[in-house]
Amino acid sequence: MSIQVKFFASLREKIGKAEVELATASNAGDAWAQATDNAPRPDNVLVAINLDYAKFDSVVKDGDEVAFFPPVTGG
Amino acid sequence: MSIQVKFFASLREKIGKAEVELATASNAGDAWAQATDNAPRPDNVLVAINLDYAKFDSVVKDGDEVAFFPPVTGG
Amino acid sequence: MASRVSEQHIDPWQLIAEHQAAHRQNGQFGAAASFIGTMRDFSERQNLSKMTLEHYPAMTGQYLEKLEQEAREQWPLQDCLIVHRVGDIYPGDAIVIIACWSAHRRAALDACNWLIEELKYRAPFWKQEFNPEGAHWVEENTNGHSSN
Amino acid sequence: MASRVSEQHIDPWQLIAEHQAAHRQNGQFGAAASFIGTMRDFSERQNLSKMTLEHYPAMTGQYLEKLEQEAREQWPLQDCLIVHRVGDIYPGDAIVIIACWSAHRRAALDACNWLIEELKYRAPFWKQEFNPEGAHWVEENTNGHSSN
């Protein structure tokens, strides 16, 4: 098992990666730090764990999918 | 010249007339009294003078069209 | 202004689509909100077979124009269409069609919402329902925040 | 549930008309409210030639279903349809289509209104606009009560 990290839209372009696989992560903030090599985190970044909105201190478990993305602009 | 009085919908059926022509009337309430031979006026009757909502004490002038109707039920 | 009464059956979605194609330029509007009121075969009474919508022709014509104008003054609308049926109407038939176009969503949505409430409470239309027991004048539109 | 994303161009009024014809029985519903968001050829930038709508497929699928379900729990809807475009979109193309059917008008109107606001602020879609100066990610939806 592992943790899948995904980046979307402008954030994907800024970070330069669409997906990163991590062996382990304690929470969403830690997943960000590992997946981006400690890139500074823009204030407006949103996070979802397993397709639900979460917080950066939300716990991440083995097998989780953690997604980071900019403010949504659909509709 | 004269005053045209109109009745609509269930009120037309109750009064038994669609249109009445009056020689003169002081206000909408007087037009009702003359046109209906002093029939009692249901509480919810609405009145329009020259196509605009009005009151029963609104003045009626020669040439006016005065309409009486029940609560509206369109839409 | 295109707002009007109609004595003929209306296909509501086609009417709106055609109005949009004829009057709106692609790429200029961002939002379209619509409301369509349709006859049900039941109300407080069952087994309705028909409804007759009476109106006060001179007043409704003027009233629909005034409503459209007031909506255009209150919100930045690019277009607005109100069509209200009169005459004989059958279950499933559209009774009223409202459509509003604007650059941004709130104007179209808020105007559409305001127009249907205004129409319900002010426009001189009257419904008479028919079922096997006979004809029945609808006495009044029920409360604005719960009724059809 | 019929709510979904679409990678294909949509004719919005035809989509709603067909959904209604297939799923609603004439005489059973009294109200249909709809909202359609359409691409303009300008926004804060001019001369837009194209927009690309990216999404988070697994999350959008689940999110649209959840939205529809929440609307059906909050209001007595008879039917509800949400279709959101993804991929390449051109000026005049529909971006999002919402339609709600109910017995009485307030449920359809209020649910439609709520759904578009929720979609705008929560659903994981992102717009990238193209004009002669290049590609530009839309940074955020402007205020809920004034924006497209």
Side-chain angles (χ1 to χ4, degrees), chain C residues 9-17 36 38 92 94 96-97, chain D residues 13 20:
Chain C
H9 174 81
I10 301 165
D11 179 327
W13 307 110
Q14 195 186 334
L15 178 88
I16 297 174
I36 295 165
T38 303
V96 60
I97 291 149
Chain D
W13 306 110
Q20 180 176 297

Side-chain angles (χ1 to χ4, degrees), chain B residues 6-10 12-14 44 46 48 50-53 65-75, chain C residues 54-56 58-59 62-63 66 84 95-96 116 120-128 137-141:
Chain B
K6 299 189 173 193
F7 299 96
F8 288 94
S10 59
R12 184 189 63 243
E13 296 187 350
K14 240 174 250 159
N44 60 6
L46 299 170
N50 298 332
L51 315 180
D52 280 323
Y53 282 101
E65 176 168 306
V66 182
F68 298 104
F69 44 82
V72 302
T73 56
Chain C
E54 179 171 332
H55 70 134
Y56 180 0
M59 188 170 170
Q62 173 179 305
Y63 193 78
K66 201 177 91 180
H84 202 294
I95 300 169
V96 60
I116 184 61
K120 281 273 187 189
Y121 291 101
R122 305 274 299 165
F125 294 97
W126 301 276
K127 288 174 180 150
Q128 189 175 30
W137 287 101
V138 178
E139 284 308 317
E140 62 186 354
N141 275 330

Side-chain angles (χ1 to χ4, degrees), chain C residues 53-113:
Chain C
L53 253 153
E54 179 171 332
H55 70 134
Y56 180 0
M59 188 170 170
T60 33
Q62 173 179 305
Y63 193 78
L64 293 183
E65 269 196 31
K66 201 177 91 180
L67 261 190
E68 179 179 334
Q69 201 174 331
E70 284 181 19
R72 287 172 181 268
E73 282 162 13
Q74 285 183 73
W75 290 278
L77 299 180
Q78 295 177 327
D79 205 348
C80 175
L81 177 67
I82 309 167
V83 181
H84 202 294
R85 276 297 314 278
V86 293
D88 287 345
I89 295 171
Y90 300 89
D93 286 358
I95 300 169
V96 60
I97 291 149
I98 296 173
C100 297
W101 287 265
S102 57
H104 302 288
R105 72 184 179 286
R106 293 299 344 148
L109 286 161
D110 292 347
C112 185
N113 197 72

Side-chain angles (χ1 to χ4, degrees), chain B residues 5-57:
Chain B
V5 177
K6 299 189 173 193
F7 299 96
F8 288 94
S10 59
L11 198 60
R12 184 189 63 243
E13 296 187 350
K14 240 174 250 159
I15 303 297
K17 305 172 190 173
E19 286 199 48
V20 175
E21 194 174 317
L22 302 178
T24 179
S26 60
N27 59 26
D30 178 35
W32 169 277
Q34 289 190 58
T36 66
D37 300 321
N38 290 304
R41 201 174 71 210
D43 281 345
N44 60 6
V45 170
L46 299 170
V47 59
I49 299 178
N50 298 332
L51 315 180
D52 280 323
Y53 282 101
K55 296 178 175 171
F56 284 90
D57 61 5

Side-chain angles (χ1 to χ4, degrees), chain A residues 16-57:
Chain A
K17 304 171 190 175
E19 287 200 46
V20 176
E21 193 174 319
L22 302 176
T24 178
S26 59
N27 60 26
D30 178 37
W32 170 277
Q34 289 189 58
T36 65
D37 301 320
N38 290 304
R41 200 174 74 211
D43 281 345
N44 60 7
V45 169
L46 300 170
V47 58
I49 299 178
N50 298 331
L51 314 180
D52 280 323
Y53 282 102
K55 296 178 175 170
F56 284 90
D57 61 5

